Amino acid sequence: MTGAVLAVLAMAALSSCGSSSGAGSEPAADGSVTLKFLIDNSQATVDTAKALTEAFMKANPTITIETETRPGGSEGDNIIKTRLSTGDMSDVFWYNSGSLLQALNPAQTLVDLTGDPVLANVQKDFLPVVSQDGKAYGVPGGTAMGGGILYNRKVYEQLKLEVPKTWANFMANNEKIKAAGIAPVIGTFKDTWTSQLFVLGDYYNVQAAAPDFAQKYTANQAKFATTPAAKAGFDHLAEVHAKGFMQEGFGSATNDQGMKMLVEGKGAHYPMLSAQLPPLVSTLPQAATDVGFFGIPGTDAAKNGATIWEPAGIYIARTTENLDAAKKFLAFVASPAGAEATNAVVQPAGPYRIAGAKLPEDAIQVAKDLQVYVDEGRTAPALEFVSPVKGPSLEQITVAVGSGLTPPAEGAAQYDKDVEKQAKQLGLAGW
Amino acid sequence: MTKQETGPRTGPGPAPGHARPSVRRKSAYPYALYLPAGIVFLVIFLVPTVMAFYFALTRWTLFDSEFVGLQNFQDFLAEQNLRIGFQNTIVYAVVTSGLKVVLGLLLGVLLTSKLRLRGFLRSVVFFPTLVSTVAVGITFAMLLKPQTGLVNQALALVGVDGRDWLGDATTALLSVALVDVWKGVGLATVIYIAGIMSIPQEYYQAVAVDGGGAWHRFRHVTLPLSWPATYSVIILSFIGGLRSFDLIWTMTRGGPGFTSDTIASIIYKQYQAGFFGLSTAGNVILFLVVTAIAVPLNYYLGKRQVAA
C-alpha cells in the first residue's frame, strides 16, 4: 500500500518537472514573441527552414523563431510522439504528412486549421494528406517530390538511349548500359529505406490498373500478393537482381554513395526520391543538369506516369502559448512569398502545393521533369498518402527480395502480413 | 561478523553474553536510511517493470492504451521472422560464448606464463573491452566494406578475393559475432588470468615431480582448476549473447533482409514502428526466454563447479 502511494507521489513529481520545463516562451512585455520550431535534421529541411524563418523574421521583427533539430526516420517519429504525449512539444513543428500523421492523434494534439485563413493559398489536392476526419491541421513545408527513377542524362546521351515508357524498354536500356561497363541500377541496401522505391514508386501503375486498390487495401479487401499490378513492384526488384544489373557491393552501399555514383555517371539509374538532389548541387554542380527523372515504367506505354510524394506538413501543437504568432508563421509558409524565400536558398525538388507559387527559371532538371508529369495530369500520390496502412518492415522485405534472398511472391505475402500487424495496431475496422 | 571486544580476549569460546545485542543494535541501520535507495529502486526499476507487464497487455500508442489481453503475445509469436530471429540469437550466443571461452583460456594461459611483454600484451588484449560497442560497430562496418575496406584490401594482398561481409546474407551474422568476440575476449581473458593465478603452485610442482610436461600441466591442472573462471565466462557471455543488440544494430540492422535479426533487434524494430504494446510483450517474452535458459544453465554449471 505505501509502495503504491510512493509510486504515485514519485510519478506526480516526475510529471510536474516535465510540464514546468515546457513553458519557456512567454510573450515579453514589449510584445515580442519567441516561437520554437522543431524540424528534422536532413540538409534539405534545415536549409528550407532557415530560409523560411529568416525571411519571416525580417518581415515580423517582433517574432523570433528558434529552430531545433531532431533525427529523421522512426527515431524521429518516436521523439515527436513522446513530446506530444508529454505536452513538451515546440510551438510549431515539421513532420510527415499522410499515414504517419494519422498516428499522432491530431484531434487531441494539434491545432485545427480547418477554414482558417492560414490555409487560403494551400492547393485543395494537398489538404487530404494533412487531414483526419475532415479536419485539416497543417500547411505544406517545401515542395512535392517525385518517387521514381533518377537517371544520368549524360549516360543516356552517350549511349543514345531514350527515356523508357514500359518496363521492357527499361530493361532493354539496362542491357545496353551494362554492356557499356556502367552499373545499370544503383542499389544502396545499407540504408534499407532506399530499397523500397521500386515498390512504393510503382503506385501510379497500380492505380492505373486497379483504381480502387487503395480503398480496398485499407479495408482489408485487396492484397499485394493477389493483385498482379501491386505485386509487380516486387517482381521488378527481383528481376533487376536476377539479371545482375546492380553494382558490386550494393548490400553495404549507402544512400550518399548511391547519389554520388549517379551524379558522377558510375551508375545510370537510381530508384530514388527527387528530393535527394537539391542538397547535392552545392558540392556537385552537375547534379542540377545531368540528372533527370522518370516515373517507374509500367506495362502500357500509353498509361505512363509518375508517383508523387506530397510535401511534409508544418503543424501547430495544441500546447502552444503563442497561437497568433504561430498562425502568422504558417500563413507565411503557405504563401507565394514563402515559396520565393525558399527558392532563393534551396532548389525545389518538385512542384509547390501553394497557389501562385512557381518553380524558378533555373530549377534543377528533376524538378522540371516532374513538373511536366504534373502539368499533364499523369501523377498519383504514393500509397502512404491515400491509405493509413503502411507496414513497418517493407524496407527489410524489399532488401531481401532485391538481394535474391526471398522470391518476389513470398516477399509480397510477407508484406501483406506486416501490413495486417500495422492495421491491427491502428485498430482499423475490418482487420 | 563478530566485532572485536574492547580489552584483550582471555581465550577461545564465545564472546561474553552482553556483546550480542549491542552488536546487533550497531549494525542495524534505521529503516529511514533504506528509504532513498528504496525510492530509487521503486521508481526506476520496480514501477517500470510492473508497468511493462501491464502495457504488454495493451495496444499502446503513447497517447492512450487499450486493453487487449494476450493479443500482443499472440501477434508477437506469430511474427514471421521470429523463427530466424530465435535461431540467430541462439547461434550468436553459442558462437560468441564458445569462442570467448576457448580464446580466453588460451590467452589466459599465455599471459600468465613468463613472457617478457606480458604486461603490455595484457593491456592490448583488454583494450577492445574499453571501447564503446557502437564505436566498435561503426569502425568494423568501415573495415569490412567490400572494395574500400581494410580487411578486403589486406586479403587482396595475399590473393584472396574478399566478399561483402556485412551485405551478404551468408556471412553477415558470423561477421558480427566475430567482432563481438574480438571486443569481449579481453574480459574473458582477465577472468581466466585471475582464475589461473589463483591455482596453488603445489599442483604444478606435483606434475613436475611426476615428470609431466606442459600439456599435462594444462590438461590436468589448469583446465579443471580454472573451472570457476570458465563458469563465469560462459554465463556472462551467453546471457550477453542472448540479449545482444547494439553491435548487430550498428553493423547490419538485422539485415540484409532479416538474415541477421535477433530477438532484441526484432523488438527494437517494433518500437520503431510505434507498436509499443507489441514490443513490450516481446520484451517480456525475451525476459522469460533468457531466464528459462540462464537459470538452468547457472544451476547445472554451479553443480559442476562443486564437483570439480
Side-chain angles (χ1 to χ4, degrees):
Chain A
M1 192 56 220
T2 44
V5 172
L6 275 176
V8 169
L9 281 177
M11 295 310 277
L14 284 176
S15 56
S16 65
C17 297
S19 59
S20 63
S21 65
S25 52
E26 276 150 33
D30 59 349
S32 69
V33 169
T34 304
L35 279 183
K36 294 231 188 309
F37 183 24
L38 179 68
I39 58 173
D40 68 79
N41 61 3
S42 72
Q43 198 55 49
T45 313
V46 172
D47 292 348
T48 310
K50 192 161 178 259
L52 285 170
T53 51
E54 274 175 8
F56 177 75
M57 288 193 284
K58 217 174 214 179
N60 298 277
T62 57
I63 304 176
T64 315
I65 302 183
E66 285 173 8
T67 16
E68 73 182 290
T69 56
R70 61 164 173 91
S74 18
E75 201 182 329
D77 297 346
N78 283 345
I79 288 175
I80 295 275
K81 281 182 203 162
T82 314
R83 290 190 61 173
L84 279 175
S85 67
T86 53
D88 192 31
M89 185 41 106
S90 56
D91 300 287
V92 181
F93 66 100
W94 178 300
Y95 190 62
N96 298 59
S97 54
S99 65
L100 284 173
L101 169 70
Q102 309 298 323
L104 294 188
N105 218 354
Q108 270 178 37
T109 55
L110 304 182
V111 173
D112 178 10
L113 298 174
T114 322
D116 198 282
V118 166
L119 299 180
N121 289 317
V122 177
Q123 284 178 3
K124 294 275 167 295
D125 312 353
F126 176 75
L127 287 179
V129 305
V130 287
S131 298
Q132 193 181 50
D133 298 329
K135 288 185 180 153
Y137 296 96
V139 298
T143 61
M145 54 184 163
I149 313 271
L150 302 180
Y151 71 105
N152 189 300
R153 298 169 74 219
K154 282 270 161 67
V155 172
Y156 263 56
E157 234 169 71
Q158 189 193 325
L159 301 175
K160 299 189 176 60
L161 299 175
E162 264 179 46
V163 169
K165 293 241 160 114
T166 64
W167 183 257
N169 287 347
F170 176 65
M171 293 307 267
N173 280 358
N174 283 335
E175 290 286 1
K176 287 178 197 154
I177 295 165
K178 193 179 180 186
I182 298 170
V185 178
I186 300 170
T188 52
F189 291 174
K190 164 95 195 211
D191 288 326
T192 43
W193 67 270
T194 63
S195 67
Q196 307 173 86
L197 264 293
F198 269 129
V199 173
L200 296 179
D202 201 37
Y203 186 66
Y204 178 86
N205 296 316
V206 177
Q207 203 184 44
D212 55 354
F213 179 77
Q215 209 185 343
K216 284 189 162 172
Y217 165 77
T218 310
N220 194 14
Q221 288 158 357
K223 297 280 168 203
F224 269 86
T226 50
T227 311
K231 187 176 151 277
F234 291 92
D235 294 334
H236 292 165
L237 198 54
E239 198 183 342
V240 166
H241 176 265
K243 296 224 164 116
F245 284 158
M246 276 190 283
Q247 88 277 19
E248 207 183 314
F250 63 86
S252 49
T254 62
N255 179 225
D256 287 346
Q257 291 168 339
M259 288 307 296
K260 200 154 173 272
M261 274 184 79
L262 176 72
V263 175
E264 288 173 349
K266 289 177 188 154
H269 298 122
Y270 190 15
M272 208 2 73
L273 298 168
S274 64
Q276 296 292 311
L277 275 167
L280 287 181
V281 174
S282 58
T283 46
L284 298 162
Q286 72 268 39
T289 49
D290 289 3
V291 177
F293 170 88
F294 59 84
I296 292 179
T299 43
D300 187 352
K303 285 187 187 169
N304 185 254
T307 307
I308 294 259
W309 264 254
E310 292 292 349
I314 299 179
Y315 310 95
I316 308 176
R318 185 159 276 206
T319 47
T320 181
E321 286 164 7
N322 305 306
L323 185 58
D324 289 337
K327 278 192 176 174
K328 219 171 178 181
F329 177 56
L330 259 62
F332 173 74
V333 170
S335 69
E340 248 166 61
T342 314
N343 278 342
V345 180
V346 191
Q347 283 286 357
Y352 280 97
R353 284 303 194 204
I354 296 162
K358 284 211 174 66
L359 286 184
E361 286 297 313
D362 61 344
I364 58 173
Q365 187 62 37
V366 282
K368 287 184 190 159
D369 287 350
L370 193 58
Q371 188 74 48
V372 174
Y373 285 101
V374 173
D375 291 345
E376 292 172 2
R378 291 187 288 132
T379 62
L383 183 57
E384 61 204 81
F385 294 102
V386 285
S387 168
V389 193
K390 178 171 183 284
S393 303
L394 178 61
E395 47 196 89
Q396 281 91 26
I397 296 170
T398 45
V399 166
V401 173
S403 313
L405 300 170
T406 310
E410 201 183 314
Q414 279 178 357
Y415 184 52
D416 285 331
K417 270 198 151 178
D418 190 45
V419 159
E420 187 183 329
K421 191 168 72 178
Q422 163 85 24
K424 274 189 183 165
Q425 290 289 325
L426 285 175
L428 292 185
W431 291 80
Chain B
M1 271 286 189
T2 49
K3 207 167 166 272
Q4 197 73 48
E5 281 296 300
T6 47
R9 293 276 300 273
T10 46
H18 71 271
R20 253 173 193 280
S22 84
V23 164
R24 188 176 291 164
R25 215 174 20 247
K26 269 185 189 161
S27 69
Y29 295 105
Y31 280 113
L33 281 184
Y34 290 121
L35 202 64
I39 289 177
V40 168
F41 179 72
L42 192 82
V43 172
I44 299 182
F45 297 100
L46 218 54
V47 172
T49 308
V50 173
M51 277 165 66
F53 277 95
Y54 168 71
F55 278 119
L57 302 173
T58 63
R59 188 150 59 218
W60 180 27
T61 61
L62 287 189
F63 299 108
D64 45 30
S65 60
E66 180 195 341
F67 190 82
V68 292
L70 292 175
Q71 183 70 44
N72 281 331
F73 287 90
Q74 238 174 47
D75 287 350
F76 188 83
L77 292 173
E79 178 71 31
Q80 20 188 359
N81 303 299
L82 194 67
R83 213 170 56 86
I84 304 178
F86 197 77
Q87 260 172 18
N88 283 345
T89 308
I90 299 285
V91 167
Y92 189 87
V94 169
V95 168
T96 53
S97 64
L99 282 176
K100 279 178 200 173
V101 166
V102 174
L103 293 176
L105 179 59
L106 293 180
L107 285 169
V109 170
L110 185 75
L111 295 178
T112 46
S113 63
K114 293 185 184 71
L115 275 179
R116 191 197 300 220
L117 286 173
R118 199 170 65 181
F120 172 73
L121 287 177
R122 281 185 187 179
S123 335
V124 168
V125 169
F126 192 65
F127 170 72
T129 315
L130 304 174
V131 187
S132 126
T133 313
V134 173
V136 169
I138 294 171
T139 311
F140 270 90
M142 297 304 263
L143 294 179
L144 290 170
K145 274 184 184 261
Q147 277 109 32
T148 52
L150 212 57
V151 172
N152 278 2
Q153 283 180 351
L155 286 176
L157 282 183
V158 292
V160 178
D161 203 9
R163 46 206 309 178
D164 188 355
W165 300 105
L166 297 174
D168 188 328
T170 49
T171 54
L173 185 71
L174 220 56
S175 307
V176 180
L178 290 180
V179 174
D180 190 320
V181 171
W182 176 82
K183 181 174 159 39
V185 79
L187 194 63
T189 309
V190 167
I191 295 174
Y192 269 114
I193 290 178
I196 293 170
M197 303 263 273
S198 70
I199 298 172
Q201 283 301 314
E202 287 81 13
Y203 293 104
Y204 291 110
Q205 286 158 5
V207 174
V209 167
D210 289 348
W215 169 247
H216 274 89
R217 280 203 299 275
F218 175 74
R219 173 68 189 83
H220 295 292
V221 180
T222 311
L223 190 60
L225 290 181
S226 60
W227 176 254
T230 309
Y231 163 78
S232 313
V233 171
I234 292 180
I235 289 286
L236 281 177
S237 55
F238 197 77
I239 294 179
L242 288 178
R243 292 166 45 244
S244 61
F245 168 72
D246 32 16
L247 203 56
I248 287 180
W249 195 252
T250 43
M251 290 180 74
T252 66
R253 298 193 179 247
F258 302 94
T259 46
S260 64
D261 256 330
T262 59
I263 299 188
S265 70
I266 290 177
I267 293 172
Y268 184 72
K269 280 190 220 164
Q270 287 173 343
Y271 272 115
Q272 279 198 318
F275 304 160
F276 300 107
L278 186 62
S279 46
T280 308
N283 263 331
V284 170
I285 291 175
L286 177 62
F287 170 77
L288 295 177
V289 168
V290 171
T291 314
I293 295 178
V295 168
L297 187 69
N298 197 8
Y299 176 75
Y300 170 74
L301 293 178
K303 246 178 37 181
R304 281 206 49 184
Q305 183 178 10
V306 174

